[in-house]
Amino acid sequence: AVLIRTKKPTDELKVHGRLAAETGLRTIADASVSGPIIKDRLNAKLAAYYSRDDGWHTNDFDNSEFGEDEQYIIRPALTFMPTDNVELLLRMEVGHAEGDGPATQNHGLFDRDSFNFSIDEPGFYENEWASATLETNIDVSFGNGRITNILGWRTLESDAFLDVDSTPNTVFDSGTYLDQEQISNELRYVGTFGPVDVTTGLYYFSQDMFFLERRIFGGGANILDGGGDGTFSTLAAFVALDWHLNDAWTINIGGRYSQEDKEARVSTLRPGGGDYESRSGLNPDFEDEDTWESFSPRLGVQWEPDSDTQVYAYVAKGFRSGGYNFRNTVPGATPGPYDQEENTTYEIGLKKDFNEGKGRVNLAAFQNTIQDIQREVQVPLGDLGFVQQIQNVGEAQVIGFEGEVQYAVTSNLVLAANFGYLDSEYNSLNIDITRDGVVDEDDYGLLLPRLAPWIYGVNATLDIPVGAGLITGRLAYSHRDKSYHTDDNVGFYAPVDLLNGSIAFEPNSGSFRLTLYGKNLTNETTYGNNVVLPDSPAFGGDGIPGNAFPTFAPLGRGTVLGVELTVDY
């Protein structure tokens, strides 16, 4: 889970600015100003971000720069404190981003270790969004606690077009359009009653979503449209208790009950399945609604023999709701509903500081058992390029361990390392993943998609005091093992070794910071996707077993060098 929170307005005037330029050419500018409007009662903040990218890649089709991008974000915020125990925090955001479509490499035509690609359709993307969140905090005497209510609203409109065949010929292009709006509210109470810390609350979420997809084959010889729209809502209640038995032992008990209601209309991808040109038309051939209920319990224990040590263990159960497939591309298949997924987790871990705080180590081992696992099974199919079908494919198990260690060798040098290992297997399967007509050991021997067995890395940070300030250098290396994109393990991601580094100067006053940095210094090739296309000459394939399959594989950037200046007042 990733939580992104805009900084609160400050009660003192603060000004921040940043300018950066990096190879591409890409330029970045952002700034914020924050301070009081009415002392002790009303604070305000305004932040803005802008970037312009000329494109890092080169399209071999016409030797043009590729990857042009422009975006801006504006974030106002207000904090109002009508009394000493009441705070209202309003956060808002508007943003716009547009640019070229992805730089897609076809592995039937180009070496996957290169940055070469050749596409005749540059495509585009355009995203526009707005959001507002009102957070209300009320300190209460009951349990010396706090009542928090968070009301949120967000809307997103996304339009994109891309060259799916990833060849210099007009074979398969596709466009997608999404219009989504959501509202949510969480009412939460946090307090302490003797040895027990309590967190409890209610949650509501509702969204309307409209999706369209168009697939164009042979420059318009065959046009297929489809998509879906629906209304989805969630109601939930939760409670978590931390019961401190004594200074060393704590019991964690919690649970969440959820109910999700979904109504969906789906139009199977076909001629006349929707009106993509208007970005509004839909011709559904499927309508349905369903409800899913779940209870997610958690039981854990923490042992803290001293202030530098914590050992913990817990067991928890979580759910991913069932739903409907708006990209119903498989002829004759139903869009759903597919059932909810259940994940049972066992974890044990250690967090330890040592040598008077100079060192820190965090270790964890875990096992996840996933029942009715949901997979978007992707299969190449000549008439449709490739198809996607969301299915409950069976039960899978993932076991692993991870750790990180950090040590201050001197007051100026800090070394750190991290590692993680994952192993997966299917306990049961109800579909033939390899498509050889039988579910056998070949299917059970496949690895889960996106799961890299080993990841690890090391980094070093060195501070060098100089007369006028401080020079800080950082070097970081990371490795990720080979992993797979498709369930049949045909589409894959090669092992990646990344090296990043930076050197910065900051004066003793701390008023500014100048940084020179480099990302992916070894110029590794990375991909954000690896969809396997039909192995035919039209898609760049040769049909010879053992040779590279044609793919839709959007390229990441290679080496990027940059300079950044930040100013704080």
Side-chain angles (χ1 to χ4, degrees), residues 251-494:
I251 302 295
N252 315 119
I253 305 172
R256 176 189 174 100
Y257 168 80
S258 298
Q259 176 179 304
E260 303 204 34
D261 300 309
K262 299 188 177 183
E263 301 177 8
R265 301 189 310 149
V266 180
S267 178
T268 301
L269 195 71
R270 67 193 192 279
D275 185 2
Y276 178 79
E277 297 293 339
S278 70
R279 303 295 197 272
S280 62
L282 190 68
N283 185 16
D285 54 356
F286 174 89
E287 294 188 34
D288 194 34
E289 60 181 274
D290 210 335
T291 298
W292 292 268
E293 296 182 1
S294 63
F295 177 68
S296 302
R298 186 181 190 277
L299 177 63
V301 60
Q302 295 171 255
W303 178 48
E304 299 180 60
D306 54 63
S307 60
D308 294 327
T309 308
Q310 180 187 143
V311 179
Y312 70 90
Y314 73 86
V315 57
K317 183 176 291 187
F319 294 83
R320 179 161 63 170
S321 175
Y324 299 91
N325 182 14
F326 279 10
R327 305 185 73 186
N328 193 41
T329 54
V330 179
T334 176
Y338 49 86
D339 205 359
Q340 65 184 358
E341 176 183 287
E342 178 182 314
N343 182 8
T344 302
T345 299
Y346 298 89
E347 181 171 327
I348 185 170
L350 165 70
K351 299 178 183 293
K352 173 71 175 177
D353 291 343
F354 59 94
N355 199 7
E356 299 180 343
K358 293 181 180 180
R360 171 173 294 173
V361 60
N362 297 324
L363 300 171
F366 49 86
Q367 173 185 297
N368 294 335
T369 301
I370 310 167
Q371 295 179 321
D372 293 321
I373 184 171
Q374 297 171 8
R375 295 297 312 145
E376 185 190 55
V377 181
Q378 298 178 359
V379 179
L381 190 64
D383 293 339
L384 294 169
F386 63 93
V387 296
Q388 305 103 324
Q389 185 177 9
I390 301 178
Q391 296 177 283
N392 299 103
V393 304
E395 180 181 297
Q397 180 175 284
V398 179
I399 61 172
F401 54 84
E402 61 186 17
E404 58 183 4
V405 59
Q406 177 178 296
Y407 190 77
V409 180
T410 69
S411 59
N412 298 330
L413 176 62
V414 177
L415 302 179
N418 66 278
F419 62 89
Y421 174 77
L422 294 174
D423 179 62
S424 70
E425 64 178 3
Y426 289 104
N427 295 334
S428 64
L429 281 171
N430 51 39
I431 70 165
D432 174 23
I433 300 179
T434 59
R435 304 185 303 282
D436 60 1
V438 62
V439 178
D440 56 16
E441 62 271 11
D442 291 336
D443 299 280
Y444 280 93
L446 297 170
L447 295 180
L448 290 179
R450 308 265 184 184
L451 185 149
W454 278 103
I455 60 169
Y456 50 81
V458 293
N459 66 76
T461 303
L462 176 65
D463 292 333
I464 304 175
V466 294
L470 186 69
I471 294 176
T472 300
R474 188 174 191 273
L475 194 64
Y477 162 81
S478 64
H479 168 85
R480 186 195 69 209
D481 273 358
K482 177 181 179 180
S483 59
Y484 296 96
H485 175 77
T486 56
D487 293 77
D488 60 10
N489 289 185
V490 175
F492 69 93
Y493 303 97

Side-chain angles (χ1 to χ4, degrees), residues 15-87:
V15 178
H16 169 83
R18 177 172 71 111
L19 290 173
E22 58 186 37
T23 48
L25 174 74
R26 183 182 183 216
T27 55
I28 306 163
D30 67 64
S32 66
V33 58
S34 178
I37 302 298
I38 302 175
K39 185 174 175 57
D40 297 329
R41 290 295 177 235
L42 181 65
N43 300 329
K45 179 184 177 183
L46 179 63
Y49 170 91
Y50 175 80
S51 72
R52 166 75 188 185
D53 193 343
D54 294 334
W56 188 93
H57 297 282
T58 299
N59 186 356
D60 292 347
F61 178 74
D62 55 8
N63 289 320
S64 62
E65 290 184 343
F66 195 89
E68 182 179 347
D69 171 276
E70 186 175 28
Q71 59 180 301
Y72 71 81
I73 303 171
I74 300 174
R75 290 177 178 164
L78 289 170
T79 301
F80 177 48
M81 298 153 286
T83 66
D84 291 342
N85 65 333
V86 176
E87 177 190 72

